Amino acid sequence: GAGVSQSPRYKVAKRGQDVALRCDPISGHVSLFWYQQALGQGPEFLTYFQNEAQLDKSGLPSDRFFAERPEGSVSTLKIQRTQQEDSAVYLCASSLWDSYNEKLFFGSGTQLSVL
Amino acid sequence: GDSVTQMEGPVTLSEEAFLTINCTYTATGYPSLFWYVQYPGEGLQLLLKATKADDKGSNKGFEATYRKETTSFHLEKGSVQVSDSAVYFCALLKSQGGSEKLVFGKGTKLTVNP
């Protein structure tokens, strides 16, 4: 595709619900990243995939957060039993290779609001 | 740990004014440094980068120089335009345990008035 696509653009969830956020990276991009951006803050790293392998999940805030990229392309970030503190914009980014010194392309994000 | 500190906004300027957005970092070693920009309704975009000390990154009239002595990477533009209105993020690349991740500042919102 022309860019990184994320869906849904907006998601409202009741506290305790499970949500799934989707990321379609640019075709052929090896690396895929998830970031969380709270209101008024910079993005914070959640997890990193190289193809289908999840090489770093050190930024996931709790075991309620789970990410997968089973075929090395589309990725899903799942949040179980959502809490109000999970409200944020979730950003996905991809790059052609495995180094940030290559250009990193971000999607427009999914804005999650937990009521 | 590694961190980035940016000047707080919002910053409001008139068209053709000079822009400086300050950025300082704390890190072990000499990480690559970046400025990202987020235009309204769009995703983050790489604006410029510098990978080693004394490098100058430049793009679209913006410049930033990697100063290891002052651990700074200030963003400058000589004459801003209305279309430069956006949120600007300074970031460093942190390498740890075979993985790399960007560490961002909180962002500085710039509004340029005609």
Side-chain angles (χ1 to χ4, degrees):
Chain A
V4 177
S5 177
Q6 292 188 246
S7 60
R9 185 71 179 89
Y10 302 94
K11 177 68 179 178
V12 178
K14 292 183 179 179
R15 190 172 55 180
Q17 280 186 331
D18 298 348
V19 298
L21 313 180
R22 176 186 171 102
C23 173
D24 281 88
I26 294 173
S27 178
H29 276 200
V30 168
S31 295
L32 185 144
F33 307 84
W34 284 97
Y35 282 81
Q36 180 190 57
Q37 186 176 13
L39 187 64
Q41 304 295 314
E44 293 193 1
F45 172 83
L46 292 177
T47 188
Y48 161 57
F49 290 86
Q50 189 177 109
N51 295 308
E52 69 278 2
Q54 188 174 21
L55 298 188
D56 188 345
K57 55 182 180 180
S58 62
L60 296 177
S62 76
D63 59 6
R64 296 185 296 103
F65 286 71
F66 172 77
E68 59 183 6
R69 194 187 185 196
E71 298 179 356
S73 55
V74 171
S75 178
T76 304
L77 176 66
K78 297 179 180 179
I79 309 173
Q80 297 177 323
R81 305 181 304 281
T82 53
Q83 303 296 314
Q84 284 189 323
E85 60 263 29
D86 300 334
S87 296
V89 176
Y90 290 85
L91 300 172
C92 177
S94 69
S95 67
L96 184 59
W97 301 114
D98 60 356
S99 168
Y100 271 105
N101 287 306
E102 296 293 330
K103 198 171 184 179
L104 194 65
F105 293 84
F106 280 84
S108 297
T110 293
Q111 184 171 330
L112 173 64
S113 299
V114 181
L115 306 178
Chain B
D2 294 4
S3 65
V4 173
T5 302
Q6 298 181 226
M7 66 183 284
E8 292 195 16
V11 174
T12 302
L13 296 173
S14 297
E15 207 165 20
E16 299 183 0
F18 184 84
L19 169 71
T20 299
I21 300 178
N22 290 338
C23 171
T24 58
Y25 68 90
T26 301
T28 52
Y30 302 105
S32 295
L33 300 174
F34 304 80
W35 276 100
Y36 276 82
V37 58
Q38 188 170 32
Y39 298 104
E42 300 184 14
L44 283 162
Q45 302 175 23
L46 178 63
L47 180 60
L48 53 83
K49 68 181 182 185
T51 57
K52 62 183 186 295
D54 299 325
D55 267 2
K56 177 186 284 188
S58 60
N59 186 24
K60 299 181 180 180
F62 291 88
E63 292 184 340
T65 301
Y66 191 140
R67 302 284 189 200
K68 67 177 182 180
E69 303 85 2
T70 54
T71 61
S72 65
F73 193 56
H74 303 322
L75 182 68
E76 296 182 337
K77 187 174 185 181
S79 177
V80 293
Q81 305 300 312
V82 174
S83 57
D84 294 327
S85 296
V87 182
Y88 293 82
F89 293 90
C90 184
L92 64 82
L93 183 61
K94 177 179 179 178
S95 297
Q96 185 177 23
S99 173
E100 293 183 325
K101 61 196 72 173
L102 286 170
V103 177
F104 286 89
K106 292 185 177 182
T108 303
K109 183 176 182 179
L110 170 67
T111 300
V112 180
N113 294 318

